[in-house]
Every structure is written in C-alpha cells, then in structure tokens.
Amino acid sequence: MADKESADPREGRDRDQGDAAEPHEEERQAEFRMELVDSLPGGRAVVGVEQEGEFVWLASKQHVSERARDEFVDQLSRIVREGWWVQNWPGN
C-alpha cells in the first residue's frame, strides 16, 4: 500500500505524526491475546478467533515459538496503541 492516495485507517490524523500518533480518547482500543496451543485443525500455524470484546490468536506450538509469539504480541500492541487497529463491535 505504498500508494499515497490510500486511505489512512487512523481517520483524520496526519500521516506525518508517524509513531507519535495516539488513538482518540473516545476510541476503545482493541483487545487481543495470543495463546500457544498444541495443534490446530488442518495443520494451520495461526487462527484468529473473534468474540465479543476480544480477539484471540491461537498459534500452534508446532509452527510458532514462544519468542515468535512474544514478538507478534509486541508488534500488535504497537499497532493497537497507535490506533491502526480498532474494534467496531456494537456499543463501541
């Protein structure tokens, strides 16, 4: 998405703000967690499960190490903190 005309998912925020961008106070930040499980159907590495109020990433221990899980969570936390991922469930 290198196209300069692409919509900014942070709606109304300047692209120049970069890492300093913070979600609007009235926005509810996405809630997620990642669990390592023994295996997943079909030999999948990762499956996302959405439920009211939370998004859970299930990751197979056969494909994802604890270190990889920790890095994934760090990166997603940054994405959430900067307002790139918001949840849009009823009541939010």
Side-chain angles (χ1 to χ4, degrees):
M1 288 187 38
D3 182 9
K4 291 183 180 185
E5 305 261 338
S6 298
D8 187 340
R10 296 177 293 177
E11 297 179 49
R13 296 190 192 135
D14 294 331
R15 290 177 187 238
D16 296 336
Q17 288 180 344
D19 289 345
E22 293 293 329
H24 294 272
E25 285 185 28
E26 67 273 7
E27 289 178 359
R28 180 173 171 202
Q29 287 194 340
E31 294 181 29
F32 73 92
R33 60 189 163 90
M34 186 171 206
E35 295 180 12
L36 288 175
V37 295
D38 290 331
S39 64
L40 291 169
R44 290 180 175 91
V46 179
V47 174
V49 180
E50 185 176 14
Q51 54 192 27
E52 187 75 22
E54 182 179 44
F55 196 93
V56 180
W57 293 97
L58 301 175
S60 170
K61 292 178 185 177
Q62 297 171 343
H63 301 286
V64 179
S65 68
E66 287 187 33
R67 180 178 176 185
R69 186 238 1 237
D70 292 346
E71 289 177 11
F72 184 84
V73 169
D74 286 346
Q75 291 299 315
L76 279 179
S77 295
R78 178 177 175 243
I79 289 167
V80 168
R81 189 173 53 251
E82 292 179 6
W84 287 93
W85 178 18
V86 295
Q87 291 174 330
N88 193 20
W89 289 315
N92 289 352

